[in-house]
Amino acid sequence: TSSNDLDLDKTLKFSTQTVEQQKQNIQQNGIDLVNKIDGMKNAKAIVALQEFNNNSNSSPSFVKPFSQLKTNLLKNNVNALETFNQQMRTAAAVGDDIWGVWTWNPTKKDFDHVSSTTKTATFLFPATANSTSNTGELKITYVQSDVVVPNTNPVEYMPKSFSAVLKVDGVVALDAEFSGSYKSDATPTNVTQTLVIEKYNWKLQLTNNDKDVSAKYAFNYDSDVLLKYEVGASGSLTAKAIEASNGGTDILTSGAMYFQVMDIAFLGGIKDFKGFADEMNAIQFTDQRSGYDSEVLTINKYLKMYGYFVKENLKFADVQFYVLDNSYSYSWDNQVYTNYSYSVEPRFVLSDGSPVTIENFVKTGFEDLITKLQSYQ
């Protein structure tokens, strides 16, 4: 994996701020994110998509993808674009009668199909609640590939490209673009999806060349990162090798993941999957606990993971795993019995060296963020 965000050799120093100051920064980060997403509610495209959904009693097949897209974007769902792609593919497969120009008829409270076109659908509709004229225009252009979607009946085809442009009063309010290429078994080799709504912009990219596979997602406001993730893996990643593999551990050589919310990021990964898998598979559970202790030692040996402030490039916590003892004793018939139970859990190791469970870390210092999230609808 070549991305700098996934560089597991990168070493960072700890922030010199107190834990309380770091928590305050993390909390403010979350509040800023909610405020930014909250501002999206008033975007012309979001309002117009709501009207498009409200006006579609007969539900032309393209209504559902846009209705779900609006909902997922406002929830900051990282799967919003992927879900949109799948629903657009399904909508495009219903038949030729969906293509053409559709005009909202306020008398009938439904769309009139006024003309037919090939693989292009245009919807003219009121873009605001009180509008009496069709101030919104949503134009969808869709091109299928010749690659069949597995297990579909009737047969569907993977999309080669599609474009969805929403104009309000003649001005572009939303622009969604997609392009994809696939192997014959529908495994994506290169997929790019972009979405722009005013200053909000999203990008999803999937690549797979049989040796390196990666998924990248970015949600920005202008050039500022609001949300970003990247997952990458290297190895022998052909469909045949994956099918013959032992749960994937013998085909992967390395893997990493990166997750960022504004100025807060987490990086984690394993550089030697074979060594990790071999040691994990060799662990013997000689008593109730020893195997768990061995698993934790192995995970912490091979897994590198930490959280940090992006702008300062300073850590606020390492992530390590530990054995949680859930055992308990009980009495029955004048005898005391112990039910042994253990699990492997993650925890933070803070800048002062103290370990703290993630649950305990967020128990204090985040009250304002929790209040903000509870008030956000």
Side-chain angles (χ1 to χ4, degrees), residues 48-71 83-84 87-92 94 98 102 104 110-111 121-125 138 140 164:
L49 289 180
Q50 183 61 53
E51 290 307 305
F52 182 57
N53 184 44
N54 291 346
N55 289 339
S56 305
N57 297 329
S58 60
S59 292
S61 61
F62 281 122
V63 172
K64 184 180 179 183
F66 286 94
S67 175
Q68 190 66 55
L69 177 66
K70 176 188 70 69
T71 300
T83 302
F84 180 63
Q87 292 185 335
M88 286 289 284
R89 186 192 79 213
T90 303
V94 301
I98 61 165
W102 300 77
W104 176 250
D110 205 349
F111 281 101
T122 304
F123 297 88
L124 304 173
F125 63 99
L138 177 62
I140 299 162

Side-chain angles (χ1 to χ4, degrees), residues 36-272:
K36 272 286 195 295
I37 297 172
D38 199 36
M40 199 198 311
K41 286 180 179 177
N42 300 319
K44 286 183 178 180
I46 298 296
V47 175
L49 289 180
Q50 183 61 53
E51 290 307 305
F52 182 57
N53 184 44
N54 291 346
N55 289 339
S56 305
N57 297 329
S58 60
S59 292
S61 61
F62 281 122
V63 172
K64 184 180 179 183
F66 286 94
S67 175
Q68 190 66 55
L69 177 66
K70 176 188 70 69
T71 300
N72 286 346
L73 291 179
L74 290 176
K75 286 182 177 176
N76 198 22
N77 186 330
V78 295
N79 295 317
L81 295 188
E82 211 167 337
T83 302
F84 180 63
N85 295 342
Q86 293 167 353
Q87 292 185 335
M88 286 289 284
R89 186 192 79 213
T90 303
V94 301
D96 291 337
D97 56 349
I98 61 165
W99 306 112
V101 177
W102 300 77
T103 302
W104 176 250
N105 184 326
T107 306
K108 289 168 54 182
K109 296 198 179 302
D110 205 349
F111 281 101
D112 288 332
H113 189 211
V114 296
S115 63
S116 295
T117 52
T118 304
K119 296 300 180 186
T120 302
T122 304
F123 297 88
L124 304 173
F125 63 99
T128 53
N130 300 318
S131 178
T132 54
S133 58
N134 293 331
T135 53
E137 177 195 274
L138 177 62
K139 185 173 183 179
I140 299 162
T141 306
Y142 196 94
V143 180
Q144 287 181 337
S145 71
D146 55 4
V147 178
V148 174
V149 180
N151 307 316
T152 50
N153 185 17
V155 170
E156 293 179 23
Y157 294 88
M158 299 296 286
K160 182 178 181 181
S161 65
F162 68 73
S163 165
V165 178
L166 171 64
K167 293 181 179 179
V168 177
D169 295 320
V171 179
V172 173
L174 176 152
D175 186 354
E177 305 290 337
F178 173 93
S179 65
S181 56
Y182 318 88
K183 297 180 185 176
S184 57
D185 64 358
T187 302
T189 54
N190 209 318
V191 167
T192 302
Q193 161 89 59
T194 59
L195 174 65
V196 179
I197 297 177
E198 296 175 9
K199 292 185 178 183
Y200 298 95
N201 57 89
W202 297 256
K203 185 172 185 179
L204 174 67
Q205 246 182 325
L206 305 172
T207 57
N208 179 2
N209 64 6
D210 292 344
K211 292 180 181 177
D212 295 291
V213 60
S214 74
K216 299 179 183 180
Y217 172 88
F219 170 29
N220 293 352
Y221 183 82
D222 274 347
S223 58
D224 294 335
V225 173
L226 300 185
L227 187 69
K228 182 179 179 181
Y229 78 73
E230 184 172 347
V231 180
S234 298
S236 178
L237 299 168
T238 62
K240 190 174 181 181
I242 292 169
E243 197 174 317
S245 74
N246 176 28
T249 54
D250 54 352
I251 60 167
L252 290 174
T253 54
S254 64
M257 60 77 65
Y258 173 88
F259 187 80
Q260 179 181 346
V261 178
M262 300 189 79
D263 190 42
I264 305 298
F266 282 90
L267 171 67
I270 293 175
K271 291 179 68 176
D272 178 9

Side-chain angles (χ1 to χ4, degrees), residues 14 39 88 122 180 230 295 307 336 363:
F14 265 107
M88 286 289 284
T122 304
E230 184 172 347
E295 284 185 347
V336 177
K363 260 183 185 174

